[in-house]
C-alpha cells in the first residue's frame, strides 16, 4: 500500500485498463524505476516510508499551478483559502518572442471578452464563483500594459479574501499571462504557486476550409536540391490558395534533425523541437546568395544538387538527406561570409535578442557535435554540462561556428515567415500548419541544454493494445511533470511560442501526452511501462494562452487509445481533433461506417495520414500485400485480405447509397473522389487532402513496425506506377483538379440581374 500511495502522489500509475473490462497491474520494479526518474527514492520499504513522509509533509495550501480561465469560476484552491488570507500576484518579467497579437489569420476568433490585457489583447473578466464559494476581492489593479509579445507588465496585484465566504466582492483579475501567486494566511502560513490566466478557448478556423497534408521533403520541384524545401512550401501555398481556394497546408515537423551517418530521417525524432532544420532552406532565396562574387563553387554545388534531384525523380534513387545537407552546408558557409547589410544585420541582432540563451545553447551543441559527435553522452565529461567552465571556454573558442548555426536558424525562421506570408497573401484562411513532435532524441540538443527537464533512463511509448500486443517504445525521453511545474512551464511556453511565430495553426502529435504518457524504463520491454500523469489543466492553459497570442488554430492528433474525458477536455478548449475516415465507425452500436452527419464538427477530417496507407492503396488492398511482403502480418495473407476487402466494401457501399460514387465500382480515381466527397459532407471544420492522394500515389511515407525493411521518410511523391512527380507536375495534374473540384464550395447559380426572368 505504501508504494501505491507514494506512486499516486506523484502521478505514477500502478495499474491501467487497456479496455473497460480489463485491468493490468504494473510491475513494482517499473513503479520504483519511474519514481527514481522523478527524484523519489522507493528502492526499499524504509525509503518508501521516508519519501511518503517527505511528500505528505509539504504544504498543500496551494497546488504548484493554478489556472484561471476567462469567463469561468475561479479555481477552488483560490476561493477556498482561509478567510482573511492575503493574496499577492506578481507578474512575470517581460519575455520576447512570438507573433504580435492579432496578426494571425484567425486572430480574435477565440470568443473572448472586450477588456484589454497586458498585450493589448481582448480579455474577459472572470465570472463569479459558484454560489457559496469565496472569491478574492480588494482594490488592487492589474499590472500596467506592456508591448505586444511580453508576458506581463511590472508591478503587482494585491487582494484579500473576505472573511464572509458569501461576500459578493469581485476578484481583480490579472491580465492574460503567467504570474506568481503568493498567499499568506491569518495564521502566517505562506505558499506560492504559478498562476496561469488564459482565454477560455483557442482561436477557431474563421470558416470551414480544406487544405493539403504533405511531407515537405517529398515535394520536389524543378529547382529543389534533392528534397523539398521552404521555397517549395511557399510556392505550393501560394498556388493552392489562389487556384483552389485552399485554406491551409499542413507539413511534417521541421524540427532540427539528429545528425548521424546516416542521419535519422524521421521528422518525429529530432535533436531539438525548439529550432528548425536549415536543411529545409531554399538556398537561392537567401539575399546574400546573389552578392557572392565568386560563383564557380556555387555553380558546381548547384550542378551536384541537380544531379541529386535527377536521381530521385528519374533514376529510382531515394531522397538522401545527408547528401542534400552536405551540398547546402557548403553553400551556406560561403553565403555566411558575405557581410550583412545594415538592415539585415539589425534584423539578425533582433532575432538573437529574442531567442536568447536557448538559441546560443542550440548553436553551441551543433558546434560541439561537429567536433565530438552528436551523442553528448560520449563527449568529454566537462562538456556534458552546458553550464560548466569547460563548456564556457568551448563557447568562446567556437564562436565562429556558433554564430554560423545561429545565422542558419535565423535564415530558416525568415523563410518560414515567408511561407506563411505567401499563404496569407494567397487568401488562405489559416496558412501553414506546423507539426509538433511528441519528443526528442535522447542524445540531442534539447536533452543536453535542458537536461534537468527530462526523465533520464525513461522512454515514451504506448502500452499493448489490440493492434500491437508488444506495445511500443518510441525512444523519446519524456519531460518530468514536476520539473515543468517547478519552472512555471517555461520550456513548454518557449517551445510553443517558437513554433507558433510563423504558423497559422499547430498540429500536436499524440495530443493525449498533455494528460499522460506511457513511460518505459530503459532496458525493459514496452509491456513493462506505466502511465505518468501531467497537469493537463496547466498544460492546456499554456497552450491556449500561446495560441491566442499568435492567433493560431490548434489541431490535436487524438487517434488510437484515448483516456476517457480527454477529447471532451480538448474540445472545451477549442482544440480540434483528428478524424480519419476508415476509423470512423459506430463503435458503440453496430460497428458500421459512421454516416457523415454523425461526425464531430470540431476536427480535421482526412482520408489518411503519414503513418497510414494512401487512399489508393487502401481501396486496392495494396497496403496488405506490402505488409505481407515485409513479413509484418500476424495472420495469413488470405485472412488479412478478406478482412480488408470486407471493410473497404462496407465504405464503398455507403458511398454508393449516398450517391457519392456515380461512376460505379472499378474506377479507382472516382472512388478516391467519392471518399473526399464524403468528407465534404461531414460537418468537420477542416478537411485535409493527403497530397500524394491527388496523383494516385500508392506508397506510404512511413510504415510503422519497420526500420531498414522499408524506405521510411525517403520517398518522393509519385504517380500510381511509382514514378516520382514534381511540384510543377502535381499542380498541372488533371487527376488533382478533378479531385479538388469535389471540395470546391458550390457557387450560387442565381443569374445576373439583367438575365433574371420577370
Amino acid at each position: 500500500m505504501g508504494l501505491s500511495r507514494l506512486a499516486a502522489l506523484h502521478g505514477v500509475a500502478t495499474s491501467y485498463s487497456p479496455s473497460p473490462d480489463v485491468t493490468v497491474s504494473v510491475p513494482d520494479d517499473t513503479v520504483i524505476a519511474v519514481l527514481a526518474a522523478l527524484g523519489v527514492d522507493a528502492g526499499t520499504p524504509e525509503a518508501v516510508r521516508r519519501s511518503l513522509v517527505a511528500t505528505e509533509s509539504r504544504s498543500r495550501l496551494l497546488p504548484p499551478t493554478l489556472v484561471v480561465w476567462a469567463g469561468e469560476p475561479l479555481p477552488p484552491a483560490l476561493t477556498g483559502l482561509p478567510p482573511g488570507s492575503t493574496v499577492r500576484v506578481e507578474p512575470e518579467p517581460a519575455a520576447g518572442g512570438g507573433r504580435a497579437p492579432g496578426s494571425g489569420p484567425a486572430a480574435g476568433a477565440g470568443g473572448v471578452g472586450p477588456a484589454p490585457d497586458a498585450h493589448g489583447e481582448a480579455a474577459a473578466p472572470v465570472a463569479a464563483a459558484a454560489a457559496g464559494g469565496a472569491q478574492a476581492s480588494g482594490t488592487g489593479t492589474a499590472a500596467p500594459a506592456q508591448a505586444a509579445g511580453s508576458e506581463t507588465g511590472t508591478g503587482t496585484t494585491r487582494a484579500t479574501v473576505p472573511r464572509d465566504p458569501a461576500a459578493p466582492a469581485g476578484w481583480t483579475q490579472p491580465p492574460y499571462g503567467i504570474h506568481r501567486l503568493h498567499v499568506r494566511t491569518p495564521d502566517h502560513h505562506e505558499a506560492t504557486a504559478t498562476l496561469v490566466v488564459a482565454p477560455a478557448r483557442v482561436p477557431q478556423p474563421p470558416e470551414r476550409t480544406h487544405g493539403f497534408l504533405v511531407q515537405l521533403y517529398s515535394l520536389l520541384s524543378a529547382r529543389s536540391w534533392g528534397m523539398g524545401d521552404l521555397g517549395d512550401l511557399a510556392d505550393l501555398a501560394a498556388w493552392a490558395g489562389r487556384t483552389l481556394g485552399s485554406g491551409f497546408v499542413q507539413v511534417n515537423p521541421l524540427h532540427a534533425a539528429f545528425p548521424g551517418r546516416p542521419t535519422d530521417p524521421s521528422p518525429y525524432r529530432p535533436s531539438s523541437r525548439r529550432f528548425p532544420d536549415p536543411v529545409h532552406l531554399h538556398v537561392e532565396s537567401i539575399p546574400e546568395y546573389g552578392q557572392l562574387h565568386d560563383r564557380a563553387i556555387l555553380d558546381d554545388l548547384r550542378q551536384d544538387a541537380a544531379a541529386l534531384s535527377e536521381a530521385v525523380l528519374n533514376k529510382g534513387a531515394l531522397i538522401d538527406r545527408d547528401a542534400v545537407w552536405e551540398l547546402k552546408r557548403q553553400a551556406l558557409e560561403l553565403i555566411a561570409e558575405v557581410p550583412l547589410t545594415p538592415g539585415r544585420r539589425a534584423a539578425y541582432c533582433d532575432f538573437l535578442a529574442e531567442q536568447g540563451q536557448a538559441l546560443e545553447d542550440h548553436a553551441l551543441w551543433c558546434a560541439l557535435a561537429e567536433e565530438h559527435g552528436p551523442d553528448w553522452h560520449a563527449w568529454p565529461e566537462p562538456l556534458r554540462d552546458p553550464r560548466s567552465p569547460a563548456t564556457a571556454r568551448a563557447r568562446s573558442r567556437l564562436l565562429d561556428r556558433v554564430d554560423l548555426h545561429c545565422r542558419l536558424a535565423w535564415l530558416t525562421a525568415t523563410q518560414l515567415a515567408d511561407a506563411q506570408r505567401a499563404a496569407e497573401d494567397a487568401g488562405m484562411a489559416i496558412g501553414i500548419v506546423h507539426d509538433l513532435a511528441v519528443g526528442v532524441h535522447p542524445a540531442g540538443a534539447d536533452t543536453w541544454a535542458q537536461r534537468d527537464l527530462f526523465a533520464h533512463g525513461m522512454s515514451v511509448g504506448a502500452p499493448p493494445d489490440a493492434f500491437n500486443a508488444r506495445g511500443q517504445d518510441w525512444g523519446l525521453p519524456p519531460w518530468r511533470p514536476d520539473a515543468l511545474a517547478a519552472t512555471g512551464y517555461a520550456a513548454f511556453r518557449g517551445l510553443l511560442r517558437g513554433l507558433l511565430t510563423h504558423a497559422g495553426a499547430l498540429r500536436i502529435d499524440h495530443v493525449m501526452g498533455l494528460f499522460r504518457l506511457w513511460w518505459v524504463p530503459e532496458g525493459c520491454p514496452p509491456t513493462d511501462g506505466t502511465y505518468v500523469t501531467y497537469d493537463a489543466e496547466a498544460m492546456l492553459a499554456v497552450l491556449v494562452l500561446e495560441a491566442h497570442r499568435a492567433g493560431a488554430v490548434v489541431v490535436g492528433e487524438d487517434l488510437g487509445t484515448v483516456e476517457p474525458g480527454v477529447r471532451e477536455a480538448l474540445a472545451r478548449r477549442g482544440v480540434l481533433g483528428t478524424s480519419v475516415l476508415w476509423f470512423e465507425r459506430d463503435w458503440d452500436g453496430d460497428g458500421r461506417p459512421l454516416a457523415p452527419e454523425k461526425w464531430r464538427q470540431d476536427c480535421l477530417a482526412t482520408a489518411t495520414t503519414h503513418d497510414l496507407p494512401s487512399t489508393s492503396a487502401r481501396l486496392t488492398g495494396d497496403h496488405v500485400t506490402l505488409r505481407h511482403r515485409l513479413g509484418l502480418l500476424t495472420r495469413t495473407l488470405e485472412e488479412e485480405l478478406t478482412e480488408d476487402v470486407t471493410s473497404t466494401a462496407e465504405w464503398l457501399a455507403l458511398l454508393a447509397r449516398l450517391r457519392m460514387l456515380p461512376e460505379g465500382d472499378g474506377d479507382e480515381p472516382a472512388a478516391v473522389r467519392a471518399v473526399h466527397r464524403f468528407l465534404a459532407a461531414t460537418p468537420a471544420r477542416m478537411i485535409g487532402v493527403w497530397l500524394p492522394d491527388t496523383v494516385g500515389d500508392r506508397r506510404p511515407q512511413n510504415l510503422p513496425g519497420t526500420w531498414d525493411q522499408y524506405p521510411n521518410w525517403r520517398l518522393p511523391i509519385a504517380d500510381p506506377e511509382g514514378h516520382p512527380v514534381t511540384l510543377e507536375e502535381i499542380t498541372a495534374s488533371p487527376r488533382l483538379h478533378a479531385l479538388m473540384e469535389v471540395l470546391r464550395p458550390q457557387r450560387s447559380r442565381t443569374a445576373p440581374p439583367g438575365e433574371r426572368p420577370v
Side-chain angles (χ1 to χ4, degrees):
M1 287 298 293
L3 181 61
S4 296
R5 177 165 176 75
L6 182 63
L9 290 171
H10 291 278
V12 180
T14 54
S15 65
Y16 66 97
S17 297
S19 59
D21 56 342
V22 176
T23 299
V24 179
S25 294
V26 174
D28 285 353
D29 287 347
T30 295
V31 175
I32 292 169
V34 170
L35 285 170
L38 292 170
V40 180
D41 185 3
T44 65
E46 180 56 33
V48 170
R49 285 192 290 271
R50 286 196 305 269
S51 296
L52 268 175
V53 170
T55 302
E56 293 177 331
S57 64
R58 295 172 189 161
S59 171
R60 290 197 294 268
L61 184 62
L62 290 176
T65 308
L66 282 90
V67 174
V68 170
W69 297 103
E72 297 182 13
L74 295 175
L78 193 56
T79 61
L81 290 170
S85 297
T86 300
V87 176
R88 180 169 60 88
V89 178
E90 178 185 352
E92 188 176 52
R99 187 168 59 201
S103 65
V112 295
D117 72 353
H119 291 255
E121 300 169 356
V126 175
Q135 280 197 315
S137 68
T139 58
T141 58
Q146 292 257 335
S150 65
E151 280 291 339
T152 63
T154 58
T156 60
T157 300
R158 293 178 180 273
T160 301
V161 177
R163 291 183 179 277
D164 181 2
W171 156 263
T172 301
Q173 179 184 327
Y176 290 163
I178 313 292
H179 314 281
R180 287 300 290 171
L181 178 67
H182 302 268
V183 170
R184 183 182 177 88
T185 66
D187 56 358
H188 305 297
H189 283 88
E190 296 184 357
T192 62
T194 298
L195 175 66
V196 185
V197 183
R201 289 167 60 82
V202 301
Q204 298 297 289
E207 58 184 10
R208 191 164 193 255
T209 187
H210 65 77
F212 289 120
L213 318 177
V214 61
Q215 300 284 292
L216 181 56
Y217 59 83
S218 71
L219 182 67
L220 281 75
S221 68
R223 65 181 187 177
S224 299
W225 286 37
M227 61 181 281
D229 58 40
L230 291 171
D232 298 323
L233 175 60
D235 210 30
L236 174 66
W239 170 80
R242 296 179 188 279
T243 305
L244 304 175
S246 299
F248 64 92
V249 174
Q250 177 182 302
V251 294
N252 54 285
L254 304 182
H255 309 317
F258 183 78
R261 292 286 188 268
T263 295
D264 186 342
S266 172
Y268 291 93
R269 202 165 182 252
S271 170
S272 173
R273 297 187 295 175
R274 299 187 293 169
F275 296 99
D277 198 312
V279 75
H280 300 112
L281 280 168
H282 179 241
V283 175
E284 293 90 335
S285 293
I286 300 171
E288 290 72 36
Y289 175 87
Q291 299 171 24
L292 273 170
H293 297 297
D294 185 0
R295 313 283 303 194
I297 298 178
L298 270 180
D299 290 343
D300 288 344
L301 292 173
R302 287 186 61 183
Q303 288 183 7
D304 291 343
L308 281 180
S309 289
E310 171 68 15
V312 171
L313 293 172
N314 295 311
K315 297 180 180 178
L318 298 174
I319 292 171
D320 188 340
R321 182 192 184 102
D322 291 335
V324 172
W325 174 239
E326 179 58 28
L327 295 178
K328 287 191 176 183
R329 181 189 61 77
Q330 295 179 55
L332 292 167
E333 288 179 349
L334 289 173
I335 292 170
E337 295 176 2
V338 177
L340 297 173
T341 64
R344 293 271 291 166
R345 169 62 61 181
Y348 178 42
C349 290
D350 281 350
F351 179 79
L352 293 176
E354 289 170 0
Q355 302 301 322
Q357 186 72 52
L359 176 58
E360 189 175 335
D361 286 345
H362 176 73
L364 177 58
W365 182 91
C366 293
L368 288 170
E370 290 174 340
E371 281 197 342
H372 302 288
D375 186 349
W376 61 267
H377 300 93
W379 292 356
E381 178 128 16
L383 297 179
R384 299 175 198 173
D385 181 357
R387 303 293 171 251
S388 73
T391 302
R393 290 191 295 272
R395 195 183 305 264
S396 299
R397 179 173 56 83
L398 297 170
L399 192 59
D400 288 345
R401 297 304 295 179
V402 170
D403 182 67
L404 172 67
H405 290 292
C406 285
R407 188 182 292 201
L408 295 183
W410 170 58
L411 293 173
T412 311
T414 300
Q415 292 195 5
L416 287 170
D418 292 341
Q420 177 62 14
R421 191 177 304 112
E424 292 173 352
D425 290 347
M428 283 194 163
I430 295 172
I432 307 302
V433 183
H434 285 285
D435 198 352
L436 173 60
V438 72
V440 294
H441 195 285
D446 281 1
T447 59
W448 177 74
Q450 300 177 311
R451 56 193 301 175
D452 293 339
L453 285 175
F454 289 90
H456 300 285
M458 294 289 146
S459 176
V460 174
D465 56 29
F467 301 99
N468 194 325
R470 295 186 294 272
Q472 300 176 58
D473 183 343
W474 302 331
L476 309 171
W479 270 339
R480 288 178 52 164
D482 58 329
L484 285 174
T487 55
Y489 295 88
F492 188 42
R493 289 149 48 203
L495 174 60
L496 292 173
R497 190 169 296 180
L499 287 166
L500 291 167
T501 298
H502 305 303
L506 179 65
R507 174 191 181 269
I508 301 180
D509 191 42
H510 193 71
V511 71
M512 297 82 78
L514 299 178
F515 296 76
R516 67 177 185 178
L517 283 172
W518 184 258
W519 288 23
V520 181
E522 190 176 72
C524 293
T527 51
D528 286 351
T530 189
Y531 280 113
V532 176
T533 60
Y534 292 73
D535 187 340
E537 184 89 345
M539 299 283 277
L540 277 175
V542 171
L543 172 63
V544 172
L545 176 64
E546 294 299 337
H548 169 78
R549 287 176 170 169
V553 176
V554 179
V555 179
E557 186 270 297
D558 57 351
L559 303 173
T561 302
V562 183
E563 186 182 10
V566 166
R567 287 195 174 103
E568 292 77 8
L570 293 169
R572 183 181 181 188
R573 300 303 165 201
V575 178
L576 304 183
T578 301
S579 294
V580 178
L581 181 132
W582 311 101
F583 301 153
E584 291 297 315
R585 291 175 172 268
D586 183 9
W587 298 114
D588 295 328
D590 58 14
R592 294 185 179 278
L594 199 62
E597 66 274 9
K598 293 184 178 180
W599 282 43
R600 54 181 170 172
Q601 179 182 26
D602 296 328
C603 75
L604 165 65
T606 73
T608 189
T609 74
H610 58 268
D611 282 335
L612 296 172
S614 69
T615 304
S616 290
R618 177 79 67 171
L619 290 167
T620 59
D622 282 5
H623 68 109
V624 178
T625 55
L626 172 62
R627 288 163 53 222
H628 170 69
R629 193 162 63 247
L630 297 175
L632 300 177
L633 299 183
T634 58
R635 297 181 297 177
T636 66
L637 176 61
E638 291 72 19
E639 290 174 314
E640 292 280 352
L641 283 173
T642 298
E643 182 177 297
D644 184 71
V645 168
T646 301
S647 175
T648 302
E650 286 183 320
W651 278 103
L652 291 175
L654 175 59
L655 296 174
R657 287 198 303 273
L658 296 174
R659 299 183 179 180
M660 294 181 177
L661 189 54
E663 298 88 349
D665 295 337
D667 187 333
E668 179 197 316
V672 174
R673 292 195 296 273
V675 164
H676 289 83
R677 210 173 269 126
F678 181 96
L679 294 178
T682 72
R685 300 289 297 272
M686 297 170 64
I687 299 172
V689 180
W690 181 235
L691 189 60
D693 274 348
T694 66
V695 290
D697 196 346
R698 298 190 179 188
R699 306 174 303 175
Q701 283 293 314
N702 178 50
L703 192 59
T706 62
W707 179 246
D708 55 1
Q709 308 98 312
Y710 186 79
N712 296 316
W713 317 113
R714 289 175 288 170
L715 292 172
I717 297 174
D719 63 18
E721 287 71 43
H723 187 275
V725 289
T726 64
L727 171 60
E728 293 82 0
E729 292 169 330
I730 292 171
T731 58
S733 167
R735 178 166 177 160
L736 177 145
H737 286 276
L739 172 58
M740 298 310 293
E741 189 64 31
V742 167
L743 299 177
R744 189 182 298 276
Q746 294 297 314
R747 295 181 174 86
S748 172
R749 297 181 181 273
T750 303
E755 300 180 14
R756 294 176 187 169
V758 179

